[in-house]
Amino acid sequence: MPALPWTPPLPRRLPRTGAAVAAVTLATAGAGCGGGGDENADPARIAPPHSVVYLVATVRPEGEQAQAVDRIGRTVFRVSNPGARLQQLVDRALLRNRATRNVSYADDVAPWLGRRVAVVVVPAPGYSRAMAMIFTAGNTDAAGKLVDRVAREATPRWPRRAYRGVHYRLDPADATAQGVVGDYLVAGDEVAFRAVVDAFRTGRGLAREPRYRRVAGDARGKLGFGYLDPTRSGTPPGGAVLAALLGSVGAAGSGPVTLSLSAAPDRIRVDVAAPGTGAAPRSDGITPLVARLPGDVWLALGLRGVGRSLRLALDRLGPPRGALRRAVDGAVRARTGLDLDRDLVPALGDIAFFVRGSTVSSVGAGVVVATPDPASARRLVARLRRLVRHAAGGRTATASLAGARGFRASGSHLPGTVYVVASGDRVVAARGVAAARAALAPGAGLARSPQYREAQASLGGAPPAMLVAFAPVAALVGTSTSPEAQRASAYLTALRTLVLAWAAAGPRHTGRMVVTLR
């Protein structure tokens, strides 16, 4: 059965046994038998209840999910037998590590590896991120023998340790532990390993936490599932970034954020859910500017209420006359000559970015801004002209396009000729006159294009906030003669679209990303 072409992020100091086993999560696993264990066990049962991050992947999918993963391997990565190819790569990786050079996937891992592997991150004093991997084991005797064998062949040998009656091996080189805990093989930082043992001994793992139980249903039948609790101390930097991004669409309140990965023969889907704050701009959170972009764009991305979001961010810094706010205002004014409160906040509403063109000479990119205050928009264009002329060293000239007025600029620090013009409640900035004209007069618009209709259908009828059409991208990349570009173009040819949307649904905010295949 084919493998899942995805693995969770791994600890920086992943132990050598864990690294070897982590590699095999990419390969086809044989069913475990005998020797104790449960290949279908749920890793959340022994994941620490205070986990900041919990990620779990199904490494042996079944039914439609297995067919989908097999087709992805054959179509996108152009491998006739994905499982066999990945097993070869795993064996090569094992050979490169002195401690695992005598280990093979077929003989030493497949007999015990279960259906799931999980990564947990726990807060721990003195650690920036304490992590452990949890592998379900259909044969715990075989899993334990593999750990002991690698420990004996390591230089220096890994000593035995015990914690709350659970025996494990400690790699002195990086203070990581590995051993069998119940129906699982666990490998990771020793502090995280012991936290897993605590959950196992007390019987109070993450699976029994009320916050996790409320969202655990999202993991059923999925290839992958993620659980992030930003309220726990020790949230990793990536979690803080995710929380900030979700906050920009009115999400990321006091509850956990979840992610789930699923696949069908013609698509890959990622769903995100986060607690709401009651501050969502609208029920869909999607700007209509995306649908009104030129119909031939291959990249479109819309952001709603940017000026309002900027205002909220500034308010969090303190009052306008407060020390921190004055420092931020002064830094922006010194670097750009722009005043946040007068030039940016009132002029910025919804924003949409776009790229079009499938050859180097025809590529054009730009941004469309819907402004709630046309006077502020005109003032912003004038300020931007001075900024480009002085800060970027560009040459500027007055420009008029399709009834819009502003300026065009060129210079060594600019990507060709850039047009910045305002017309009523819109501001357009684009590279090249063709892209600027298309943004000002998009004709029927992107909403009438086949790729937009396909994107909307893949999202269940929801309007996309982001759309990537891969055929023009493949053609553009394919214009390069380098072998790397040609390989990338071949991969991109197998893809049709990537789309993203989000919505507010009661107390939860949801997002969905779908990649469709040809």
Side-chain angles (χ1 to χ4, degrees), residues 353-426:
F353 303 88
F354 68 90
V355 184
R356 61 199 292 266
S358 56
T359 63
V360 175
S361 61
S362 66
V363 168
V367 57
V368 179
V369 180
T371 174
D373 185 348
S376 295
R378 291 191 297 270
R379 185 168 61 247
L380 176 60
V381 170
R383 293 291 182 92
L384 288 174
R385 182 174 184 177
R386 289 197 293 271
L387 174 63
V388 169
R389 188 166 54 236
H390 296 295
R395 299 181 299 274
T396 67
T398 300
S400 179
L401 293 174
R405 296 185 60 81
F407 68 95
R408 69 176 186 272
S410 60
S412 59
H413 297 292
L414 296 174
T417 301
V418 176
Y419 286 78
V420 181
V421 293
S423 176
D425 62 352
R426 280 186 302 166

Side-chain angles (χ1 to χ4, degrees), residues 296-311:
D296 61 347
V297 307
W298 51 260
L299 170 62
L301 171 63
L303 302 174
R304 194 165 183 83
V306 174
R308 180 174 57 242
S309 298
L310 180 58
R311 166 65 66 193

Side-chain angles (χ1 to χ4, degrees), residues 127-263:
Y127 283 76
S128 60
R129 54 185 68 184
M131 298 186 182
M133 300 190 72
I134 303 173
F135 303 88
T136 58
N139 185 330
T140 52
D141 287 349
K145 289 177 181 177
L146 174 61
V147 172
D148 287 338
R149 176 180 166 187
V150 172
R152 289 194 304 270
E153 295 178 0
T155 305
R157 290 188 177 186
W158 300 350
R160 292 180 182 273
R161 294 286 187 272
Y163 177 69
R164 300 192 69 170
V166 173
H167 295 272
Y168 62 95
R169 294 281 192 163
L170 181 69
D171 182 352
D174 53 14
T176 53
Q178 39 273 313
V180 172
V181 181
D183 294 326
Y184 312 85
L185 186 150
V186 181
D189 296 306
E190 187 177 23
V191 64
F193 182 94
R194 291 190 171 200
V196 171
V197 173
D198 288 336
F200 169 67
R201 284 302 188 202
T202 61
R204 295 203 59 85
L206 183 65
R208 296 189 61 181
E209 278 291 291
R211 292 162 67 88
Y212 179 82
R213 292 173 63 182
R214 285 194 291 269
V215 299
D218 295 341
R220 296 192 185 100
K222 300 298 193 300
L223 289 175
F225 177 72
Y227 172 90
L228 168 68
D229 190 347
T231 64
R232 299 288 187 184
S233 60
T235 301
V241 171
L242 177 60
L245 291 174
L246 291 167
S248 69
V249 294
S254 59
V257 177
T258 62
L259 304 93
S260 62
L261 171 70
S262 57

